[in-house]
């Protein structure tokens, strides 16, 4: 159980770093993100709400005990990373590495969280 908890906290912390960096970029380097979203073909009006959603997802992962909300946060991040990966692949900018790393940390966090909460670690 101890090893599982360590893996959970490390993977969730690394996921958090990526999400904080991403949300920070959306908020504090808005013009660069507008350029990226335009290249992706995404509407730019979703940048700030998307940053807030990322921060709320982190709050759900770290601080909420409601299983349903936590599951929705994991699911939201999962789809965000899938879409980010394919957006970068489709425009060919070679920047899909962060989405791959985030997906690995997300899956690791999710699996270890399930083991901890179900007492199977």
């Amino acid at each position: 159980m101890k090893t599982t908890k360590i893996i959970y906290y490390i993977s969730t912390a690394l996921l958090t770093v990526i999400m904080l960096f991403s949300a920070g970029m959306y908020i504090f380097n808005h013009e660069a993100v507008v350029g990226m979203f335009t290249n992706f073909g995404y509407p730019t009006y979703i940048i700030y709400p998307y940053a807030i959603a990322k921060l709320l997802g982190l709050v759900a992962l770290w601080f909420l005990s409601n299983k349903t909300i936590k599951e929705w946060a994991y699911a939201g991040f999962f789809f965000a990373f899938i879409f980010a990966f394919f957006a970068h692949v489709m425009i060919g900018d070679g920047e899909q590495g962060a989405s791959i790393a985030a997906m690995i940390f997300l899956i690791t966090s999710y699996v270890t969280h399930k083991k901890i909460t179900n007492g199977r670690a």
Side-chain angles (χ1 to χ4, degrees):
M1 181 68 109
K2 185 177 181 180
T3 304
T4 304
K5 284 186 178 183
I6 291 169
I7 293 170
Y8 167 74
Y9 284 115
I10 290 172
S11 62
T12 308
L14 292 171
L15 175 65
T16 300
V17 168
I18 291 173
M19 289 294 92
L20 288 175
F21 176 77
S22 175
M25 284 285 294
Y26 285 18
I27 294 167
F28 300 114
N29 197 2
H30 185 73
E31 290 307 314
V33 176
V34 166
M36 289 187 325
F37 270 56
T38 302
N39 287 341
F40 295 146
Y42 294 162
T44 57
Y45 61 82
I46 67 169
I47 294 172
Y48 289 126
Y50 195 31
I52 292 168
K54 288 180 178 191
L55 296 174
L56 290 174
L58 290 175
V59 168
L61 293 186
W62 283 105
F63 302 113
L64 299 182
S65 59
N66 184 305
K67 289 182 180 183
T68 304
I69 294 174
K70 199 170 280 225
E71 288 284 331
W72 277 92
Y74 276 117
F77 283 139
F78 177 82
F79 287 111
F81 301 151
I82 292 291
F83 293 145
F85 174 80
F86 283 108
H88 286 289
V89 168
M90 295 306 288
I91 66 167
D93 67 358
E95 297 291 326
Q96 61 268 18
S99 59
I100 293 170
M103 184 63 82
I104 291 168
F105 298 142
L106 179 76
I107 292 170
T108 304
S109 173
Y110 180 77
V111 169
T112 54
H113 171 64
K114 286 302 210 182
K115 285 183 180 179
I116 292 166
T117 56
N118 294 335
R120 293 183 291 157

